[in-house]
Amino acid sequence: SMQFKFIPVFMCILLLVLINVKIIMCDEADLSEKDFVLPMPGNKNMVFKPVFLGEGNTEFSIKKFKVGDPDGGFKEYPTTVALGGSFIGEKNGHSDWMYYIGKYEVTKEQYFSIMGGEGTVKNADTQMPIADISWFDALTFVNKYNQWLFLNAVDKLPKNQNSVGFVRLPTEIEWEFAARGGSHVSEDVF
């Protein structure tokens, strides 16, 4: 049977329709003022950074851009995609739709703080990214983390009016947009 593996690509989990979660124990010096931190069991944290769409704050604003090989390669045919944000944030004095993306890969220590057990983690390896887990393992992790957050830290989750955010895996487009620099990069780079 075919099984998909998540190596450090599992570094992405999204909050609401916008968080690509990457977890690691962080030093206060590593945090920027725009970073968003969620607690985890065992006094651990998950750190997110905002990804702004650059489309303003009007209702139903979406970012449209092309991804793929402009030369029309076999597997990367240019495709127009649309991306939306779940929260409104301030960037350079202007309101804009955004989503959060994890700042770091999910570490073994963070993974097992949610999933329980020690797995094959050696003390020196606890800060290494979790690897060799299936897509289903990643979904189970996200589900259990959401359950923990809603029981222990619902007040820490971001909100859009009365709607509370949640953690989920990102789409390929959400991850790629963030990995390429979000709205800081011109459309022709995509």
Side-chain angles (χ1 to χ4, degrees):
S1 74
M2 179 186 270
Q3 187 177 28
F4 295 95
K5 298 288 182 174
F6 277 75
I7 305 184
V9 172
F10 175 57
M11 64 192 209
C12 307
I13 299 172
L14 291 189
L15 240 191
L16 208 107
V17 174
L18 64 127
I19 294 184
N20 173 12
V21 177
K22 300 174 189 182
I23 311 170
I24 195 165
M25 291 296 291
C26 62
D27 194 327
E28 289 295 323
D30 293 336
L31 295 176
S32 112
E33 66 182 49
K34 295 188 187 233
D35 287 345
F36 183 75
V37 180
L38 286 176
M40 295 184 77
N43 293 322
K44 292 162 189 46
N45 295 313
M46 182 177 288
V47 181
F48 302 90
K49 63 185 266 178
V51 177
F52 291 92
L53 299 183
E55 296 297 315
N57 67 352
T58 59
E59 288 188 44
F60 308 113
S61 290
I62 57 171
K63 177 77 171 186
K64 288 185 179 178
F65 56 97
K66 284 192 178 197
V67 293
D69 184 352
D71 296 329
F74 173 69
K75 292 187 178 182
E76 292 289 327
Y77 191 76
T79 305
T80 300
V81 295
L83 185 63
S86 296
F87 307 103
I88 294 180
E90 291 290 322
K91 180 181 174 190
N92 301 327
H94 300 289
S95 294
D96 192 12
W97 283 101
M98 64 169 198
Y99 61 95
Y100 291 99
I101 191 162
K103 190 170 181 175
Y104 307 102
E105 293 86 1
V106 175
T107 66
K108 293 175 182 180
E109 182 177 48
Q110 293 164 325
Y111 180 81
F112 290 114
S113 77
I114 296 295
M115 300 300 284
E118 297 283 323
T120 58
V121 177
K122 300 177 186 114
N123 287 342
D125 283 352
T126 61
Q127 294 305 305
M128 297 299 293
I130 190 70
D132 295 325
I133 62 170
S134 72
W135 182 74
F136 297 105
D137 293 336
L139 288 178
T140 301
F141 170 82
V142 169
N143 184 41
K144 286 185 176 189
Y145 186 39
N146 277 316
Q147 289 175 25
W148 186 89
L149 284 168
F150 276 79
L151 285 173
N152 299 286
V154 72
D155 59 316
K156 305 285 188 208
L157 290 166
K159 293 177 179 65
N160 184 356
Q161 296 176 3
N162 293 326
S163 298
V164 178
F166 59 91
V167 177
R168 68 166 173 81
L169 295 174
T171 66
E172 179 182 1
I173 298 305
E174 289 165 334
W175 185 87
E176 188 167 336
F177 184 72
R180 291 183 182 214
S183 63
H184 295 293
V185 178
S186 64
E187 187 173 319
D188 60 318
V189 173
F190 284 93

PDB file of all heavy atoms in Angstrom, residues 63-70 77-82 173 176 180 187-190:
ATOM      1  N   LYS A  63      -6.237  36.579  -3.182  1.00  0.00           N
ATOM      2  CA  LYS A  63      -5.006  36.790  -3.930  1.00  0.00           C
ATOM      3  C   LYS A  63      -4.989  35.782  -5.057  1.00  0.00           C
ATOM      4  O   LYS A  63      -5.085  34.578  -4.825  1.00  0.00           O
ATOM      5  CB  LYS A  63      -3.806  36.584  -2.998  1.00  0.00           C
ATOM      6  CG  LYS A  63      -2.472  36.698  -3.660  1.00  0.00           C
ATOM      7  CD  LYS A  63      -2.129  38.135  -3.883  1.00  0.00           C
ATOM      8  CE  LYS A  63      -0.700  38.306  -4.351  1.00  0.00           C
ATOM      9  NZ  LYS A  63      -0.351  39.708  -4.417  1.00  0.00           N
ATOM     10  N   LYS A  64      -4.914  36.265  -6.299  1.00  0.00           N
ATOM     11  CA  LYS A  64      -4.814  35.370  -7.459  1.00  0.00           C
ATOM     12  C   LYS A  64      -3.411  35.496  -8.030  1.00  0.00           C
ATOM     13  O   LYS A  64      -2.885  36.600  -8.177  1.00  0.00           O
ATOM     14  CB  LYS A  64      -5.831  35.754  -8.532  1.00  0.00           C
ATOM     15  CG  LYS A  64      -7.255  35.424  -8.166  1.00  0.00           C
ATOM     16  CD  LYS A  64      -8.184  35.726  -9.327  1.00  0.00           C
ATOM     17  CE  LYS A  64      -9.607  35.376  -8.955  1.00  0.00           C
ATOM     18  NZ  LYS A  64     -10.548  35.695 -10.028  1.00  0.00           N
ATOM     19  N   PHE A  65      -2.824  34.357  -8.345  1.00  0.00           N
ATOM     20  CA  PHE A  65      -1.496  34.342  -8.946  1.00  0.00           C
ATOM     21  C   PHE A  65      -1.291  33.006  -9.649  1.00  0.00           C
ATOM     22  O   PHE A  65      -2.070  32.075  -9.462  1.00  0.00           O
ATOM     23  CB  PHE A  65      -0.398  34.603  -7.902  1.00  0.00           C
ATOM     24  CG  PHE A  65      -0.407  33.662  -6.740  1.00  0.00           C
ATOM     25  CD1 PHE A  65       0.427  32.554  -6.709  1.00  0.00           C
ATOM     26  CD2 PHE A  65      -1.244  33.881  -5.656  1.00  0.00           C
ATOM     27  CE1 PHE A  65       0.416  31.687  -5.630  1.00  0.00           C
ATOM     28  CE2 PHE A  65      -1.257  33.019  -4.568  1.00  0.00           C
ATOM     29  CZ  PHE A  65      -0.419  31.913  -4.562  1.00  0.00           C
ATOM     30  N   LYS A  66      -0.244  32.940 -10.455  1.00  0.00           N
ATOM     31  CA  LYS A  66       0.060  31.713 -11.186  1.00  0.00           C
ATOM     32  C   LYS A  66       1.206  30.985 -10.514  1.00  0.00           C
ATOM     33  O   LYS A  66       2.157  31.603 -10.048  1.00  0.00           O
ATOM     34  CB  LYS A  66       0.440  32.015 -12.632  1.00  0.00           C
ATOM     35  CG  LYS A  66      -0.733  32.357 -13.495  1.00  0.00           C
ATOM     36  CD  LYS A  66      -0.348  32.370 -14.953  1.00  0.00           C
ATOM     37  CE  LYS A  66      -1.618  32.666 -15.729  1.00  0.00           C
ATOM     38  NZ  LYS A  66      -1.520  32.337 -17.112  1.00  0.00           N
ATOM     39  N   VAL A  67       1.076  29.663 -10.482  1.00  0.00           N
ATOM     40  CA  VAL A  67       2.168  28.813 -10.030  1.00  0.00           C
ATOM     41  C   VAL A  67       2.487  27.843 -11.156  1.00  0.00           C
ATOM     42  O   VAL A  67       1.673  27.617 -12.040  1.00  0.00           O
ATOM     43  CB  VAL A  67       1.798  28.030  -8.740  1.00  0.00           C
ATOM     44  CG1 VAL A  67       1.622  28.965  -7.570  1.00  0.00           C
ATOM     45  CG2 VAL A  67       0.571  27.181  -8.937  1.00  0.00           C
ATOM     46  N   GLY A  68       3.671  27.280 -11.106  1.00  0.00           N
ATOM     47  CA  GLY A  68       4.057  26.316 -12.127  1.00  0.00           C
ATOM     48  C   GLY A  68       5.163  26.842 -13.002  1.00  0.00           C
ATOM     49  O   GLY A  68       5.627  27.967 -12.870  1.00  0.00           O
ATOM     50  N   ASP A  69       5.582  26.030 -13.932  1.00  0.00           N
ATOM     51  CA  ASP A  69       6.665  26.337 -14.847  1.00  0.00           C
ATOM     52  C   ASP A  69       6.133  27.181 -16.003  1.00  0.00           C
ATOM     53  O   ASP A  69       5.289  26.720 -16.769  1.00  0.00           O
ATOM     54  CB  ASP A  69       7.258  25.020 -15.364  1.00  0.00           C
ATOM     55  CG  ASP A  69       8.467  25.220 -16.249  1.00  0.00           C
ATOM     56  OD1 ASP A  69       8.782  26.380 -16.593  1.00  0.00           O
ATOM     57  OD2 ASP A  69       9.103  24.214 -16.600  1.00  0.00           O
ATOM     58  N   PRO A  70       6.622  28.420 -16.159  1.00  0.00           N
ATOM     59  CA  PRO A  70       6.131  29.265 -17.251  1.00  0.00           C
ATOM     60  C   PRO A  70       6.405  28.673 -18.633  1.00  0.00           C
ATOM     61  O   PRO A  70       5.763  29.028 -19.610  1.00  0.00           O
ATOM     62  CB  PRO A  70       6.854  30.597 -17.067  1.00  0.00           C
ATOM     63  CG  PRO A  70       7.911  30.367 -16.068  1.00  0.00           C
ATOM     64  CD  PRO A  70       7.624  29.089 -15.356  1.00  0.00           C
ATOM     65  N   TYR A  77       2.600  22.587 -15.099  1.00  0.00           N
ATOM     66  CA  TYR A  77       1.921  23.456 -16.047  1.00  0.00           C
ATOM     67  C   TYR A  77       1.398  24.691 -15.303  1.00  0.00           C
ATOM     68  O   TYR A  77       0.849  24.562 -14.217  1.00  0.00           O
ATOM     69  CB  TYR A  77       0.766  22.705 -16.720  1.00  0.00           C
ATOM     70  CG  TYR A  77       0.200  23.447 -17.900  1.00  0.00           C
ATOM     71  CD1 TYR A  77       0.882  23.483 -19.108  1.00  0.00           C
ATOM     72  CD2 TYR A  77      -0.980  24.154 -17.787  1.00  0.00           C
ATOM     73  CE1 TYR A  77       0.375  24.178 -20.193  1.00  0.00           C
ATOM     74  CE2 TYR A  77      -1.497  24.854 -18.856  1.00  0.00           C
ATOM     75  CZ  TYR A  77      -0.804  24.867 -20.067  1.00  0.00           C
ATOM     76  OH  TYR A  77      -1.300  25.571 -21.119  1.00  0.00           O
ATOM     77  N   PRO A  78       1.606  25.894 -15.853  1.00  0.00           N
ATOM     78  CA  PRO A  78       1.156  27.110 -15.159  1.00  0.00           C
ATOM     79  C   PRO A  78      -0.353  27.067 -14.871  1.00  0.00           C
ATOM     80  O   PRO A  78      -1.154  26.776 -15.741  1.00  0.00           O
ATOM     81  CB  PRO A  78       1.467  28.224 -16.149  1.00  0.00           C
ATOM     82  CG  PRO A  78       2.511  27.666 -17.047  1.00  0.00           C
ATOM     83  CD  PRO A  78       2.245  26.184 -17.121  1.00  0.00           C
ATOM     84  N   THR A  79      -0.692  27.346 -13.635  1.00  0.00           N
ATOM     85  CA  THR A  79      -2.076  27.300 -13.180  1.00  0.00           C
ATOM     86  C   THR A  79      -2.370  28.530 -12.345  1.00  0.00           C
ATOM     87  O   THR A  79      -1.580  28.899 -11.484  1.00  0.00           O
ATOM     88  CB  THR A  79      -2.300  26.038 -12.303  1.00  0.00           C
ATOM     89  OG1 THR A  79      -1.908  24.887 -13.040  1.00  0.00           O
ATOM     90  CG2 THR A  79      -3.743  25.915 -11.873  1.00  0.00           C
ATOM     91  N   THR A  80      -3.515  29.155 -12.591  1.00  0.00           N
ATOM     92  CA  THR A  80      -3.939  30.282 -11.768  1.00  0.00           C
ATOM     93  C   THR A  80      -4.619  29.738 -10.522  1.00  0.00           C
ATOM     94  O   THR A  80      -5.482  28.868 -10.605  1.00  0.00           O
ATOM     95  CB  THR A  80      -4.913  31.202 -12.532  1.00  0.00           C
ATOM     96  OG1 THR A  80      -4.233  31.692 -13.699  1.00  0.00           O
ATOM     97  CG2 THR A  80      -5.355  32.373 -11.676  1.00  0.00           C
ATOM     98  N   VAL A  81      -4.206  30.239  -9.368  1.00  0.00           N
ATOM     99  CA  VAL A  81      -4.767  29.803  -8.092  1.00  0.00           C
ATOM    100  C   VAL A  81      -5.272  31.023  -7.327  1.00  0.00           C
ATOM    101  O   VAL A  81      -4.903  32.157  -7.626  1.00  0.00           O
ATOM    102  CB  VAL A  81      -3.731  29.033  -7.242  1.00  0.00           C
ATOM    103  CG1 VAL A  81      -3.329  27.739  -7.928  1.00  0.00           C
ATOM    104  CG2 VAL A  81      -2.522  29.887  -6.946  1.00  0.00           C
ATOM    105  N   ALA A  82      -6.129  30.786  -6.353  1.00  0.00           N
ATOM    106  CA  ALA A  82      -6.647  31.856  -5.499  1.00  0.00           C
ATOM    107  C   ALA A  82      -6.397  31.476  -4.051  1.00  0.00           C
ATOM    108  O   ALA A  82      -6.495  30.308  -3.680  1.00  0.00           O
ATOM    109  CB  ALA A  82      -8.140  32.050  -5.749  1.00  0.00           C
ATOM    110  N   ILE A 173      -0.773  25.408  -1.912  1.00  0.00           N
ATOM    111  CA  ILE A 173      -0.679  26.804  -2.329  1.00  0.00           C
ATOM    112  C   ILE A 173      -0.395  27.713  -1.139  1.00  0.00           C
ATOM    113  O   ILE A 173       0.407  28.640  -1.237  1.00  0.00           O
ATOM    114  CB  ILE A 173      -1.958  27.238  -3.074  1.00  0.00           C
ATOM    115  CG1 ILE A 173      -2.133  26.389  -4.343  1.00  0.00           C
ATOM    116  CG2 ILE A 173      -1.939  28.720  -3.393  1.00  0.00           C
ATOM    117  CD1 ILE A 173      -0.948  26.393  -5.294  1.00  0.00           C
ATOM    118  N   GLU A 176       3.283  27.187  -0.353  1.00  0.00           N
ATOM    119  CA  GLU A 176       4.168  27.744  -1.376  1.00  0.00           C
ATOM    120  C   GLU A 176       4.172  29.265  -1.350  1.00  0.00           C
ATOM    121  O   GLU A 176       5.226  29.889  -1.462  1.00  0.00           O
ATOM    122  CB  GLU A 176       3.764  27.239  -2.769  1.00  0.00           C
ATOM    123  CG  GLU A 176       4.762  27.641  -3.833  1.00  0.00           C
ATOM    124  CD  GLU A 176       4.569  26.925  -5.146  1.00  0.00           C
ATOM    125  OE1 GLU A 176       3.995  25.821  -5.169  1.00  0.00           O
ATOM    126  OE2 GLU A 176       5.009  27.491  -6.160  1.00  0.00           O
ATOM    127  N   ARG A 180       7.597  31.372  -0.459  1.00  0.00           N
ATOM    128  CA  ARG A 180       8.180  32.296  -1.431  1.00  0.00           C
ATOM    129  C   ARG A 180       8.160  33.749  -0.958  1.00  0.00           C
ATOM    130  O   ARG A 180       8.552  34.634  -1.701  1.00  0.00           O
ATOM    131  CB  ARG A 180       7.448  32.178  -2.768  1.00  0.00           C
ATOM    132  CG  ARG A 180       7.706  30.863  -3.436  1.00  0.00           C
ATOM    133  CD  ARG A 180       7.026  30.802  -4.768  1.00  0.00           C
ATOM    134  NE  ARG A 180       7.228  29.521  -5.400  1.00  0.00           N
ATOM    135  CZ  ARG A 180       7.335  29.372  -6.705  1.00  0.00           C
ATOM    136  NH1 ARG A 180       7.251  30.405  -7.495  1.00  0.00           N
ATOM    137  NH2 ARG A 180       7.515  28.181  -7.201  1.00  0.00           N
ATOM    138  N   GLU A 187       4.215  39.132  -8.277  1.00  0.00           N
ATOM    139  CA  GLU A 187       3.531  38.006  -8.919  1.00  0.00           C
ATOM    140  C   GLU A 187       4.394  37.316  -9.968  1.00  0.00           C
ATOM    141  O   GLU A 187       4.317  36.113 -10.158  1.00  0.00           O
ATOM    142  CB  GLU A 187       2.236  38.494  -9.567  1.00  0.00           C
ATOM    143  CG  GLU A 187       1.383  37.363 -10.095  1.00  0.00           C
ATOM    144  CD  GLU A 187       0.035  37.857 -10.583  1.00  0.00           C
ATOM    145  OE1 GLU A 187      -0.550  38.719  -9.926  1.00  0.00           O
ATOM    146  OE2 GLU A 187      -0.410  37.346 -11.624  1.00  0.00           O
ATOM    147  N   ASP A 188       5.267  38.076 -10.664  1.00  0.00           N
ATOM    148  CA  ASP A 188       6.076  37.470 -11.704  1.00  0.00           C
ATOM    149  C   ASP A 188       7.090  36.465 -11.149  1.00  0.00           C
ATOM    150  O   ASP A 188       7.596  35.612 -11.876  1.00  0.00           O
ATOM    151  CB  ASP A 188       6.780  38.533 -12.553  1.00  0.00           C
ATOM    152  CG  ASP A 188       7.707  39.401 -11.737  1.00  0.00           C
ATOM    153  OD1 ASP A 188       7.335  39.805 -10.619  1.00  0.00           O
ATOM    154  OD2 ASP A 188       8.816  39.702 -12.237  1.00  0.00           O
ATOM    155  N   VAL A 189       7.371  36.501  -9.846  1.00  0.00           N
ATOM    156  CA  VAL A 189       8.284  35.534  -9.233  1.00  0.00           C
ATOM    157  C   VAL A 189       7.610  34.169  -9.147  1.00  0.00           C
ATOM    158  O   VAL A 189       8.264  33.140  -9.201  1.00  0.00           O
ATOM    159  CB  VAL A 189       8.744  36.018  -7.839  1.00  0.00           C
ATOM    160  CG1 VAL A 189       9.542  34.954  -7.119  1.00  0.00           C
ATOM    161  CG2 VAL A 189       9.559  37.284  -7.986  1.00  0.00           C
ATOM    162  N   PHE A 190       6.273  34.157  -9.003  1.00  0.00           N
ATOM    163  CA  PHE A 190       5.557  32.896  -8.940  1.00  0.00           C
ATOM    164  C   PHE A 190       5.469  32.294 -10.319  1.00  0.00           C
ATOM    165  O   PHE A 190       5.295  31.186 -10.528  1.00  0.00           O
ATOM    166  CB  PHE A 190       4.150  33.088  -8.350  1.00  0.00           C
ATOM    167  CG  PHE A 190       4.191  33.280  -6.865  1.00  0.00           C
ATOM    168  CD1 PHE A 190       4.241  34.545  -6.310  1.00  0.00           C
ATOM    169  CD2 PHE A 190       4.187  32.196  -6.025  1.00  0.00           C
ATOM    170  CE1 PHE A 190       4.282  34.706  -4.959  1.00  0.00           C
ATOM    171  CE2 PHE A 190       4.221  32.353  -4.655  1.00  0.00           C
ATOM    172  CZ  PHE A 190       4.289  33.623  -4.118  1.00  0.00           C
TER     173      PHE A 190
END
